[in-house]
C-alpha cells in the first residue's frame, strides 16, 4: 500500500499528472492504509523501530538513521553522524526546552522519531504514522473473540514534524502532511522545489534553499574566471533541482555556459562512474565540475577519476552535501585537492558536545538505535544479539565517546536544534495568544490547528544556537548564509580551509587558495582562450562561451568583443587595432631622391638659360643675335626658363598660392616655347611656299607681326587657365586613395593640389597641340637649306621633344596605381619638361652661343640680298631637291648656299 502511495507521489513530483489527481491518489492511498491499520490495536512492537517520548505536545521527527539498503532490503548500515548525531540533537533540544522556564512553561514537549533509511518510499510509509490520530476509526465491523467491541489505543497526535534530511524524502512526506495540515520544518532539505508555496505550503526549513546555494556557486565560478563548466547531479530532487537552479541562474545572468549536464542514477550499474568520467573528458576544457550529489556518489566519482588517471584535471565545486565532510575524500585526497565546497554558515554547539559525550548505554535507553551506534562506534559486540556478529571483542559498556573513539560534531546539529526551537517558539507564541495566563495547555490548544500553527512558525524571529537569526520568508525559506571551503593539502596533511563566505554577496579570499600545481595563478576552465587585442570573437552557434578569434583585417578595428568596424576614411587602425588614428599626411620633400634629381636638372637648366639670355642681351646687336630673331628668341628663352622653373612649384609644399601658380605656369612655359617655334616654322613655310608662286613677300612676317601671332597663341592658354580658375578655384586636398595600401601601417595621405590627371592633360593639351603642329611644320620645311632660319635645328628639336613626351605618357599614366605614384609622376613630369627645354636650348641656342663666345670672327655681317634673290634660291632649292637622291648628301645644299647672298640680316636665312 505504501509503495502505491510512493509511486503516486513520484508521479506528482515528475509532473506527469495534475495536482488534483495526485491529491486524490494520495488521500485515497493514505485513507485505505490507515483504515487497514485501524482495524488492529497498536502493540509495543510498533515502537521497536521508533523513539517515543511522552509529552503534552508531540513533535514528529524524521532522520536517516540508516543508509539505503540494497537488494530489496529497506535499510542498510547505520549512519553515525547524519543519523545518530542529528537524532540526539533533537532529543537534546527537547530536553533544553522542557527545562527552560521561559519557553513553553508548564508545557512538556514529547517526540515520535522515525528512521527514513535514506529512502523516500520507506520514509513515506513511516511518516503515515504521524497522521493516524487524525483518522476517525470505525470499529463497527470489528469484534473481539468474546464478541465485545475492540478498545483502540489512542495514537499520538503529531502537531508538527522535524525533518526530513534528504530533499526527496521531504518532498514525499510534505505531500502527505499538507493533506492533514501538519507543519513541517526541515533541517537539511535544500531543493528549490520546496520553495513552491502552492505545492508545499506547510513546509519550512532552517537551511537556505539550493537556489541561494546555486547563486553562491555561480558567483564562485564567475569570480574564478570560469565560463565553461559541467554539472553532475545525483538522481533525485536534491541533485536535479540544484543543478536546474544553477543552470537557470547562469542563463539569466549569462557569462557561464554548461558543457555537459550529467546525472548519476539512483542505482548505478557497474562501471557507471567510469562512463561519467569519460563523458566529462569529452569536453576537457570544462575542467570545473559543479556537483549536487550525495556523499556516496561524490566518493565514487572521485574514485573513478583517480582510477582513470585524471588526478589534478578536474576542478570540483561541491554543494553542501559535500561541505566539509571527510568521508567522501578519505583515501583519495590527491584527486580531491583544490575542491571548493560550500556549507550553510554554522557553528559547533559546545553544549551538545558535552551532552553527546556523556551518553552511554545506561543513560540513553530512550534511543532505540543507540546500542547499534555503540557497537559501530567502538567496533565491539553487545551480547549474543548484537548487530556485529563478526566483531572480535565484546562491548563493556564503559566505553566513552570522544575518549575511546573519534568524535566530531555533525554539521547539521545546529540546524536540527534550530528547527526544534523554531517549532517551540511558534507553540510558545500560540500558547500566549490562546492560553494567556493559563498554566499548561488550555482547551483551545487541546487540538492544535495546523494552519494556525503554520502562521506562528512563519512569524518566528529569534537567535538560534549559533547566534544567528532564525527567520522564514513567505515561502518558508531561511536566508542564505554560506561558508566557502577549499580542500587543501599541506605536506602530508589535508584539511578544509575557509576561504570566504556568501551572504547575498560573495566574499572570496583568492590569495588563501591553493592548487595542486602550486601555481599561484588561477586554473582555467574556459571553452576558448581570450582573443588578443585587435581580434573579435566569432561565437560558436548555440554556445556563447565558445568562439573563434578573427583578426580585424585591413582598415577595420575592434569596436567591441564581437565586432570589427571600418575606420573613418581619413583614419587607420592603431597598432593594437583597438581604435583608429589619423593617417599620416605626406608631401614630396625637398630631400627626397625623387625631388633632388629634378631640382638638380632644373637648376642646371636655369643657369644655362640665364647664361644664354645674358649672352644674347650683351651681344644683342651682333649679326648672330639679330639673325636669330631677337624678339622671338627672348620669348622662346622665357618659355624655356619657365619650363625649368615649374619644377620648384611642383615640388613645393602645396597651399592655395602654390596651387594657383601651378595651374598658371604648368602649361605656360611650354606654351611660350612652342608658340614661338610654331610661329617661326610657320613663317618659314609661308615664305618658301609663297616663293614658289610669286616674288611678293607673304603678309605678317615682320618681327612685330610674329610677336602678335605668338602672344595670340599664348593668350589662348591664359584664357583657358582663367576659365579653370573661375569654375574651380584652386585649393589643396589630401588624397587618401593614392597610398591606401593593403597594409594600413603603410597608408599615407598625400597633400596635393586639386589638379586631377584630366585637368593636367587639359592644361598641357594645348601646349602639346602647339608642339605637334610645330612638328608638322618642321617636317614640311625639312627641305629648306640649313642656313635658312634654323629650320633644321627646329625640326630636330621637335622630333626629340615628341619622343620625350611619347615616353612621358605611358610612364605617367602607367604608374597611376602605384604606391609611389606621387613621386614617380611628379619626377616624370618635371624631368620631361626640363628635357624638352634642354633640347630646345641645346639645339637652337648653344651653337649660337658657341660662335658668339668662342668664334667671334664668324659673328660678322653678310651681303644683303633682295627678296627676288631669295625666291630664286627657293626655286632652285625645289628643283635641285628632285635630284638629291642622285647626289651625295648635302651637295645640293652646299651649292645652294654658296650661290646665295648672305650679307643681309633681313634675309630669310638670317631672320
Amino acid at each position: 500500500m505504501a509503495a502505491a502511495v510512493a509511486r503516486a507521489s513520484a508521479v506528482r513530483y515528475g509532473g506527469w499528472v495534475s495536482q488534483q489527481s495526485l491529491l486524490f491518489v494520495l488521500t485515497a492511498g493514505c485513507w485505505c492504509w490507515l483504515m487497514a491499520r485501524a482495524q488492529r490495536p497498536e502493540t509495543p512492537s510498533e515502537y521497536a523501530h521508533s523513539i517515543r517520548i511522552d509529552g503534552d505536545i508531540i513533535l514528529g521527527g524524521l532522520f536517516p538513521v540508516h543508509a539505503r539498503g540494497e537488494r530489496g532490503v529497506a535499510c542498510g548500515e547505520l549512519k553515525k553522524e547524519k543519523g545518530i548525531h542529528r537524532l540526539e540533537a533533537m532529543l537534546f533540544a527537547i530536553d533544553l526546552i522542557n527545562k527552560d522556564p521561559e519557553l513553553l512553561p508548564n508545557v512538556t514537549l514529547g517526540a515520535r522519531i522515525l528512521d527514513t533509511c535514506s529512502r523516500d518510499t520507506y520514509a513515506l510509509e513511516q511518516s503515515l504514522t504521524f497522521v493516524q490520530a487524525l483518522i476517525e476509526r470505525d470499529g463497527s465491523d470489528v469484534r473481539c473473540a468474546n464478541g465485545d467491541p475492540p478498545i483502540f489505543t489512542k495514537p499520538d497526535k503529531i502537531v508538527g514534524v522535524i525533518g526530513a534530511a534528504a530533499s526527496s524524502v521531504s518532498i514525499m512526506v510534505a505531500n502527505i502532511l499538507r493533506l492533514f495540515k501538519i507543519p513541517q520544518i526541515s533541517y537539511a532539505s535544500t531543493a528549490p522545489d520546496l520553495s513552491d508555496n502552492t505545492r508545499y505550503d506547510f513546509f519550512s526549513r532552517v537551511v537556505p534553499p539550493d537556489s541561494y546555494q546555486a547563486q553562491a556557486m555561480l558567483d564562485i565560478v564567475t569570480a574564478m574566471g570560469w565560463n565553461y563548466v559541467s554539472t553532475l547531479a545525483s538522481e533525485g530532487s536534491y541533485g536535479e533541482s540544484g543543478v536546474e537552479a544553477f543552470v537557470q541562474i547562469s542563463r539569466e545572468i549569462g557569462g557561464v555556459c554548461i558543457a555537459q549536464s550529467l546525472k548519476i542514477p539512483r542505482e548505478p550499474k557497474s562501471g557507471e562512474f567510469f562512463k561519467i568520467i569519460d563523458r566529462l573528458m569529452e569536453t576537457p576544457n570544462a575542467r570545473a565540475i559543479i556537483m549536487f550529489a550525495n556523499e556516496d556518489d561524490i566518493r565514487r566519482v572521485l574514485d573513478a577519476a583517480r582510477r582513470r588517471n585524471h588526478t589534478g584535471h578536474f576542478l570540483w565545486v561541491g554543494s553542501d552535501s559535500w561541505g566539509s565532510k571527510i568521508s567522501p575524500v578519505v583515501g583519495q585526497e590527491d584527486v580531491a585537492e583544490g575542491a571548493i565546497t560550500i556549507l550553510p554558515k554554522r557553528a559547533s554547539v559546545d553544549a551538545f558536545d558535552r551532552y553527546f559525550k556523556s551518553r552511554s548505554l545506561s543513560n540513553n535507553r530512550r534511543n532505540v538505535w543507540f546500542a547499534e551506534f555503540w557497537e559501530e562506534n567502538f567496533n565491539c559486540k553487545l551480547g549474543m544479539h548484537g548487530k556485529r556478529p563478526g566483531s572480535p571483542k565484546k562491548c563493556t559498556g564503559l566505553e566513552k565517546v570522544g575518549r575511546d573513539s573519534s568524535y566530531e560534531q555533525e554539521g547539521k546539529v545546529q540546524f536540527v536544534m534550530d528547527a526544534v526551537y523554531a517549532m517551540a517558539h511558534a507553540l510558545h507564541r500560540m500558547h500566549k495568544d490562546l492560553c494567556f495566563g493559563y498554566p499548561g495547555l488550555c482547551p483551545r490548544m487541546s487540538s492544535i490547528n495546523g494552519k494556525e500553527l503554520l502562521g506562528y512558525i512563519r512569524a518566528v524571529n529569534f537567535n538560534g544556537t549559533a547566534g544567528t537569526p532564525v527567520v522564514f520568508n513567505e515561502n518558508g525559506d531561511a536566508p542564505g548564509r554560506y561558508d566557502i571551503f577549499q580542500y587543501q593539502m599541506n605536506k602530508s596533511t589535508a584539511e578544509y580551509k575557509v576561504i570566504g563566505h556568501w551572504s547575498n554577496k560573495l566574499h572570496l579570499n583568492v590569495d588563501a587558495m591553493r592548487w595542486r600545481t602550486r601555481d599561484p595563478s588561477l586554473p582555467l576552465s574556459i571553452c576558448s582562450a581570450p582573443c588578443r587585442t585587435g581580434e573579435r570573437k566569432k561565437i560558436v552557434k548555440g554556445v556563447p562561451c565558445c568562439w573563434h578569434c578573427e583578426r580585424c583585417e585591413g582598415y577595420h578595428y575592434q569596436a567591441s568583443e564581437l565586432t570589427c568596424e571600418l575606420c573613418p576614411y581619413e583614419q587607420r587602425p592603431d597598432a593594437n587595432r583597438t581604435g583608429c588614428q589619423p593617417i599620416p599626411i605626406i608631401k614630396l620633400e625637398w630631400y627626397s631622391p625623387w625631388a633632388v634629381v629634378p631640382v638638380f636638372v632644373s637648376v642646371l637648366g636655369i643657369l644655362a638659360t640665364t647664361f644664354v639670355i645674358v649672352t644674347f642681351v650683351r651681344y644683342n646687336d651682333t649679326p648672330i643675335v639679330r639673325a636669330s630673331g631677337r624678339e622671338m628668341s627672348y620669348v622662346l628663352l622665357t618659355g624655356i626658363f619657365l619650363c625649368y622653373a615649374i619644377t620648384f612649384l611642383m615640388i613645393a609644399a602645396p597651399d592655395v598660392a602654390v596651387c594657383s601658380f601651378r595651374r598658371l605656369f604648368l602649361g605656360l612655359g611650354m606654351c611660350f616655347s612652342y608658340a614661338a617655334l610654331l610661329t617661326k616654322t610657320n613663317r618659314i613655310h609661308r615664305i618658301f611656299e609663297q616663293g614658289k608662286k610669286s616674288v611678293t613677300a607673304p603678309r605678317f612676317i615682320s618681327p612685330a607681326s610674329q610677336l602678335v601671332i605668338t602672344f595670340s597663341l599664348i593668350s589662348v592658354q591664359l584664357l583657358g587657365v582663367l576659365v579653370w580658375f573661375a569654375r574651380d578655384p584652386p585649393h589643396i586636398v589630401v588624397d587618401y586613395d593614392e597610398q591606401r595600401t593593403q597594409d594600413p601601417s603603410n597608408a599615407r595621405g598625400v597633400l596635393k593640389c586639386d589638379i586631377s590627371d584630366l585637368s593636367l592633360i587639359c592644361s598641357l593639351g594645348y601646349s602639346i597641340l602647339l608642339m605637334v603642329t610645330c612638328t608638322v611644320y618642321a617636317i614640311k620645311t625639312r627641305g629648306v637649306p640649313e642656313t635658312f632660319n634654323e629650320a633644321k635645328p627646329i625640326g630636330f628639336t621637335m622630333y626629340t621633344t615628341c619622343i620625350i613626351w611619347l615616353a612621358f605618357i605611358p610612364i605617367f599614366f602607367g604608374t597611376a596605381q602605384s604606391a609611389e605614384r606621387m613621386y614617380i609622376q611628379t619626377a616624370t613630369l618635371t624631368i620631361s619638361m626640363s628635357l624638352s627645354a634642354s633640347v630646345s636650348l641645346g639645339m637652337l641656342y648653344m651653337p649660337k652661343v658657341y660662335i658668339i663666345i668662342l668664334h667671334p670672327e664668324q659673328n660678322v655681317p653678310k651681303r644683303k640680298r633682295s627678296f627676288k634673290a631669295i625666291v630664286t634660291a627657293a626655286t632652285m632649292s625645289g628643283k635641285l631637291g628632285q635630284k638629291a637622291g642622285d647626289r651625295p648628301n648635302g651637295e645640293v645644299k652646299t651649292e645652294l648656299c654658296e650661290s646665295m647672298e648672305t650679307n643681309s640680316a633681313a634675309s630669310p636665312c638670317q631672320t
Side-chain angles (χ1 to χ4, degrees), residues 328-342:
V329 298
V330 171
Q332 41 205 17
E333 290 81 2
D334 289 346
V335 72
E337 184 179 3
I340 300 173
T341 62
I342 71 173

Side-chain angles (χ1 to χ4, degrees), residues 26 61 101 143 193 236 240 243 269 370 372 431 458 616 690-691 736:
L26 284 174
R143 290 291 184 270
D193 288 352
E240 295 177 46
V243 165
K269 299 179 182 178
F370 197 71
E372 185 178 353
H431 184 268
R458 296 290 172 87
F616 266 52
Q690 182 69 20
Y736 293 100

Side-chain angles (χ1 to χ4, degrees), residues 752-768:
K752 59 196 297 187
C753 295
D754 63 328
I755 303 176
S756 64
D757 291 347
L758 179 60
S759 300
L760 179 67
I761 293 302
C762 291
S763 178
L764 295 177
Y766 180 67
S767 299
I768 293 175

Side-chain angles (χ1 to χ4, degrees), residues 113-289:
I113 301 175
L114 304 175
D115 180 10
T116 64
C117 289
S118 306
R119 188 187 297 271
D120 49 7
T121 53
Y122 183 82
L124 176 64
E125 181 177 350
Q126 292 293 301
S127 64
L128 294 176
T129 304
F130 296 147
V131 300
Q132 290 183 54
L134 301 176
I135 305 299
E136 184 178 350
R137 303 189 180 189
D138 182 10
S140 58
D141 295 335
V142 181
R143 290 291 184 270
C144 295
N146 58 4
D148 295 334
I151 300 174
F152 293 103
T153 302
K154 186 177 181 180
D156 296 324
K157 183 179 180 181
I158 307 298
V159 299
V161 175
I162 306 300
S167 295
S168 57
V169 174
S170 289
I171 287 175
M172 281 286 195
V173 173
N175 282 320
I176 294 295
L177 298 182
R178 73 184 297 267
L179 297 177
F180 298 94
K181 299 182 180 180
I182 300 177
Q184 174 186 3
I185 302 178
S186 174
Y187 50 82
S189 298
T190 57
D193 288 352
L194 290 165
S195 296
D196 187 349
N197 205 36
T198 62
R199 295 171 58 190
Y200 308 105
D201 45 347
F202 280 81
F203 178 85
S204 303
R205 49 186 162 191
V206 292
V207 289
D210 286 339
S211 54
Y212 294 149
Q213 184 173 200
Q215 179 66 64
M217 296 172 77
L218 181 63
D219 289 348
I220 293 171
V221 167
T222 303
M224 299 297 292
W226 300 337
N227 65 1
Y228 196 51
V229 302
S230 293
T231 63
L232 186 58
S234 292
E235 185 177 2
S237 59
Y238 172 78
E240 295 177 46
S241 299
V243 165
E244 182 180 351
F246 181 88
V247 172
Q248 181 178 353
I249 296 173
S250 66
R251 287 175 179 171
E252 291 174 355
I253 297 178
V256 176
C257 298
I258 308 302
Q260 295 191 77
S261 193
L262 306 182
K263 186 189 302 183
I264 303 172
R266 291 180 187 272
E267 304 290 342
K269 299 179 182 178
S270 176
E272 186 71 33
F273 289 93
F274 291 120
K275 293 179 182 178
I276 289 173
I277 295 300
D278 294 340
R279 285 280 305 279
L280 292 174
M281 287 303 297
E282 291 176 3
T283 52
N285 286 347
R287 296 177 60 194
I289 311 299

Side-chain angles (χ1 to χ4, degrees), residues 607-630:
L607 292 175
T609 304
T610 303
F611 178 74
V612 172
I613 292 174
V614 171
T615 302
F616 266 52
V617 171
R618 182 177 179 183
Y619 297 97
N620 189 54
D621 293 325
T622 61
I624 290 292
V625 175
R626 294 177 63 190
S628 298
R630 288 174 295 185

